[in-house]
Amino acid sequence: MEFSINSKGNKQVRLHDFKPGRERFRAEVLSGLRKAQKELPSKYFYDEQGSCLFERICALDEYYIPRTEAAIMETYIEEMVELLGPRVLLIEYGSGSCAKVHILLDHLCDLAAYVPIDISREQLLRVTKDLTSNYPRLEVLPVCADYTSGFELPVSKHPNERSVVYFPGSTIGNFDAIPAKHFLEHVAKVCGPGGALLIGVDLKKDPSVLHRAYNDSQGVTATFNLNLLERINHELNGDFQLGWFEHYAFYNPREGRVEMHLVSLRDQKVRLDNVTIPFAKGESIWTESSYKFSVDEFEQMAATAGFNVEHVWMDEQQWFSVQYLVNKS
Ligand code: AVI
């Protein structure tokens, strides 16, 4: 589906809409809640409220990722621009508020077009309006989609030298190993031979830093986690009692990941329309994994998907990396 956004200056921008519907949301929720270890896909955190809560997480001192990544981008932007080269078609996966891409938009002055892809239609519409008025000469081609499944790339009016996918924030860490490989293979296809991926990758570090980042003192991450139940109540006619579940996040060193769960505080039954899901006291719903990598681990994973790591930029503490990968095929 496509529809037009009337932005300031009367420029018409078409939204390419592949947003998954309620049926798929319901099917994925029910299948996750019927597993022995109950789980919910973390991509569903980001409704309107969840996206706002995530913005608040990004502003927290304890959540080091956005500021560390931004500092790396600011320090090395000239080198990045040099590597990306001229007339890039820039495609951002999970563009959210588009806060991170500004540094690239400001420095890549001859971009062919910018394609923000996000599952939150409201936010995508808002940011597209802002971008078209702040960068009047830039062609913006927004796509509303769950980028882990099918969507078509819109065609730009301008020729490009290469497609570069931008995937910041270490969202790659929210995929398990096999889906991560499949995702990288999909990106390799989208950017094509000689195309590239500029990606934020969170690195292994002292678990106490991770514990603070996912258990912030203001409880914003807990509210973000619980909002998933609120969303299910609202959109799927559920009756989760939010006070009967508790946020629980910890670093699992064997698996190299932070796990977020929602733990049931009592024996209880939850209804979703006509379906009843029983919970035992202490049983959890696994809502998110956030993998942390060594530089070598990530290089190996990228290679299995056909990518060559050409450059790795890091902060002084080596907490986070921004990596430039080229599709070798
Ligand atoms: C989006 N993603 C990379 C975040 C992360 O760190 O895994 C989501 C998040 N979950 C809790 N805090 C932030």
Side-chain angles (χ1 to χ4, degrees):
M1 195 219 297
E2 290 186 1
F3 59 89
S4 297
I5 306 158
N6 203 351
S7 64
K8 271 185 217 157
N10 291 333
K11 191 170 166 188
Q12 291 283 319
V13 178
R14 282 206 322 249
L15 176 76
H16 301 257
D17 198 346
F18 303 92
K19 186 177 169 132
R22 179 183 185 274
E23 275 321 300
R24 198 161 110 220
F25 179 33
R26 182 184 150 84
E28 291 190 38
V29 164
L30 285 179
S31 117
L33 293 180
R34 283 174 172 143
K35 289 188 176 162
Q37 165 62 68
K38 294 181 169 64
E39 59 186 38
L40 289 169
S42 59
K43 66 185 176 191
Y44 289 120
F45 278 137
Y46 304 93
D47 65 349
E48 178 93 89
Q49 176 68 5
S51 300
C52 289
L53 286 163
F54 184 60
E55 299 273 295
R56 284 183 54 203
I57 290 175
C58 288
L60 294 169
D61 257 5
E62 293 131 310
Y63 192 65
Y64 58 88
I65 290 181
R67 67 162 187 281
T68 312
E69 185 174 37
I72 296 170
M73 294 296 292
E74 273 157 32
T75 309
Y76 299 107
I77 187 66
E78 302 297 344
E79 286 180 26
M80 294 178 192
V81 166
E82 181 84 24
L83 274 175
L84 264 64
R87 290 175 294 284
V88 161
L89 172 69
L90 187 66
I91 304 158
E92 183 175 9
Y93 278 49
S95 49
S97 65
C98 289
K100 294 173 192 139
V101 80
H102 277 280
I103 186 156
L104 288 171
L105 299 182
D106 290 341
H107 287 81
L108 292 164
C109 41
D110 62 351
L111 270 181
Y114 169 56
V115 182
I117 308 173
D118 205 89
I119 198 166
S120 169
R121 188 185 291 127
E122 299 75 15
Q123 196 176 36
L124 193 61
L125 291 171
R126 248 194 332 269
V127 297
T128 300
K129 269 192 179 181
D130 292 347
L131 285 172
T132 48
S133 49
N134 294 338
Y135 300 87
R137 291 173 48 208
L138 178 66
E139 188 183 8
V140 183
L141 299 166
V143 176
C144 181
D146 166 7
Y147 55 74
T148 59
S149 50
F151 66 91
E152 276 163 41
L153 264 195
V155 180
S156 151
K157 285 188 287 211
H158 312 282
N160 67 75
E161 296 272 309
R162 77 160 51 112
S163 298
V164 177
V165 170
Y166 181 46
F167 195 44
S170 201
T171 304
I172 188 67
N174 297 136
F175 294 84
D176 286 321
I178 293 170
K181 177 177 182 288
H182 290 160
F183 173 74
L184 290 174
E185 284 167 351
H186 151 85
V187 171
K189 244 191 228 156
V190 167
C191 66
L197 170 62
L198 185 66
I199 185 168
V201 180
D202 200 13
L203 301 175
K204 290 205 155 93
K205 59 183 64 61
D206 182 342
S208 67
V209 175
L210 295 170
H211 184 84
R212 279 197 298 277
Y214 292 84
N215 292 282
D216 66 272
S217 51
Q218 293 175 43
V220 187
T221 310
T223 310
F224 172 73
N225 200 3
L226 284 160
N227 180 60
L228 190 48
L229 304 185
E230 179 99 55
R231 178 176 186 185
I232 293 170
N233 283 350
H234 191 223
E235 293 184 31
L236 301 180
N237 200 20
D239 69 352
F240 279 104
Q241 300 282 326
L242 269 57
W244 294 355
F245 287 87
E246 193 169 65
H247 166 76
Y248 179 52
F250 62 95
Y251 181 64
N252 178 338
R254 230 177 56 152
E255 303 294 339
R257 67 186 176 218
V258 173
E259 291 183 20
M260 286 212 316
H261 293 252
L262 289 165
V263 179
S264 175
L265 297 177
R266 52 162 77 188
D267 289 339
Q268 55 179 312
K269 288 196 171 87
V270 174
R271 281 182 69 84
L272 272 151
D273 281 332
N274 50 350
V275 181
T276 303
I277 312 280
F279 284 87
K281 182 176 177 183
E283 188 180 4
S284 81
I285 313 173
W286 189 350
T287 51
E288 187 181 67
S289 296
S290 195
Y291 286 85
K292 310 300 168 188
F293 300 90
S294 72
V295 171
D296 287 348
E297 279 167 353
F298 190 75
E299 186 176 18
Q300 280 166 29
M301 185 166 84
T304 64
F307 278 112
N308 202 23
V309 178
E310 302 259 304
H311 207 107
V312 179
W313 297 274
M314 283 184 273
D315 57 299
E316 259 176 33
Q317 300 185 92
Q318 305 197 344
W319 279 6
F320 198 86
S321 64
V322 177
Q323 310 203 9
Y324 184 69
L325 280 57
V326 173
N327 179 354
K328 294 175 293 188
S329 56

